[in-house]
Amino acid sequence: QVQLVESGGGLVQAGGSLRLSCAASGTIFSINTMAWFRQAPGKQRELVAIITSGGSTNYAGSVKGRFTISRDNTKNTVYLQMNSLKPEDTAVYYCNVEARSWTPKRDYWGQGTQVTVSS
């Protein structure tokens, strides 16, 4: 069993920055990919950024150059540094971790954290 706890969301002005954190706990034998998704009201959940166990990253075109995903394997934590925030970044952000626990490898989701960017 794996639990993900997110933190770092909040209200910021356009052009500001936030750093989201997602810490995995429980019985973890291995972690493969770690990712951040977001969902704005009335829209589909979309992939924002993903990082592999080897450190390779990929980003949605709308955030590339502004957001940076990173991971600390000693803490089983994934981060999302968000700079130059825009109102259109407003959404609930969810972390996702592909992990091996007592059960076969599967995806685990965080509880979501609200990010609101004002004009």
Side-chain angles (χ1 to χ4, degrees), residues 19 63 76 117:
R19 189 172 84 149
V63 308
N76 289 330
V117 184

Side-chain angles (χ1 to χ4, degrees), residues 4 10 13 21 40 51 56 70 74 83 89 103 118:
L4 305 180
Q13 296 276 4
S21 299
I51 183 168
S56 297
S70 61
T74 66
N83 298 325
D89 294 318
T103 57
S118 62

